[in-house]
Amino acid sequence: MTMILRSALVLVLLVGILSPASESLRFELQSGQTKCISEDMKSNSMTVGKYHVVKPNEDHPLPDSHKLTVKVTSSYGNNYHSAEKVESGQFAFTAAEQGDYMACFWVPEHSPQITVTVDFDWRTGVHAKDWTNVAKKGQVDAMELELKNLYDTVQSIHEEMFYLREREEEMQELNKATTSKMFWLSFLSLFLCLSVAGLQFWHLKSFFEKKKLI
């Protein structure tokens, strides 16, 4: 029974890691407004993104009022991509630090207000690599290509396990720090209660002595 549970756990972990780490979506953006999309990334992980404005009329060029201003930044404020008044673009970089990365899209003010439709594809980790292009450039056969893909997948699993272990250690340190603070807080509360009780006893004793009741 234990072996079955372990096998099921490993299967769930593999499915979660091998599932596409990508975000492909289409959204609408009002003129004069900004829309931001975030992605949680580990350090040293690769990411690629592509975006373009859907033309309202395929037979005519895209008007300037429909062009985007795009900026990609990290949670530390570092800028990884910037483009102004473009109808399409792409970015690719390796994350220098762990955390949330933000892709923000903005359309200039326009009167009357217009709506711009944007297609955005954002991929990270193993799924950020275009293995079809690797095969074309390197002239490798299908078996070698598959081995490279499997190797990269295993490496991603290995990095994910270390990442989970680091998060677990952080949670343990946080629990220890919280327990220590609670202990000292309880000790301080007990000390204050005993001090107040002692002062009250001394005050009552002095009062009764003055009244010559004891």
Side-chain angles (χ1 to χ4, degrees):
M1 188 66 178
T2 303
M3 291 299 295
I4 296 176
L5 291 176
R6 287 181 179 177
S7 300
L9 181 60
V10 171
L11 180 60
V12 170
L13 178 62
L14 288 175
V15 170
I17 294 176
L18 294 178
S19 59
S22 62
E23 186 173 0
S24 180
L25 70 159
R26 171 175 289 193
F27 60 89
E28 293 183 346
L29 183 61
Q30 301 289 332
S31 58
Q33 296 183 357
T34 302
K35 182 177 181 64
C36 294
I37 299 170
S38 65
E39 181 76 16
D40 184 19
M41 294 175 56
K42 301 189 296 293
S43 59
N44 297 322
S45 60
M46 182 180 178
T47 184
V48 295
K50 297 179 182 179
Y51 56 88
H52 74 273
V53 178
V54 179
K55 291 184 178 181
N57 191 336
E58 290 293 338
D59 297 331
H60 296 82
L62 189 72
D64 290 339
S65 59
H66 285 63
K67 292 186 177 180
L68 296 169
T69 294
V70 185
K71 180 174 285 189
V72 181
T73 57
S74 69
S75 55
Y76 295 92
N78 297 322
N79 187 20
Y80 286 87
H81 176 73
S82 181
E84 294 185 3
K85 295 182 179 180
V86 296
E87 60 181 274
S88 64
Q90 61 184 13
F91 58 85
F93 60 88
T94 300
E97 60 266 343
Q98 176 181 316
D100 289 331
Y101 286 73
M102 195 85 67
C104 293
F105 301 84
W106 179 76
V107 178
E109 288 276 2
H110 189 273
S111 182
Q113 194 176 51
I114 59 174
T115 301
V116 176
T117 303
V118 182
D119 278 342
F120 182 42
D121 187 13
W122 196 354
R123 301 176 184 273
T124 61
V126 178
H127 308 280
K129 296 185 177 180
D130 191 345
W131 287 106
T132 304
N133 290 337
V134 172
K136 291 180 180 178
K137 293 178 181 179
Q139 298 297 321
V140 294
D141 57 19
M143 181 64 71
E144 187 176 354
L145 176 63
E146 187 66 24
L147 287 175
K148 284 186 177 182
N149 199 355
L150 289 174
Y151 173 77
D152 205 50
T153 301
V154 172
Q155 191 174 17
S156 176
I157 295 173
H158 189 256
E159 293 175 355
E160 186 73 19
M161 292 178 67
F162 272 102
Y163 172 72
L164 293 174
R165 183 181 298 176
E166 290 176 359
R167 293 298 297 272
E168 182 180 0
E169 290 176 355
E170 291 176 0
M171 291 299 298
Q172 290 178 353
E173 292 296 329
L174 180 61
N175 289 336
K176 289 180 181 178
T178 304
T179 302
S180 177
K181 291 178 181 179
M182 290 299 298
F183 170 78
W184 287 110
L185 181 61
S186 300
F187 179 78
L188 180 61
S189 300
L190 179 62
F191 176 77
L192 289 176
C193 290
L194 293 176
S195 299
V196 172
L199 289 173
Q200 289 178 340
F201 178 78
W202 176 80
H203 177 72
L204 290 175
K205 182 179 179 183
S206 300
F207 175 78
F208 288 136
E209 287 178 347
K210 288 180 180 181
K211 296 295 183 180
K212 297 181 179 181
L213 296 175
I214 57 173

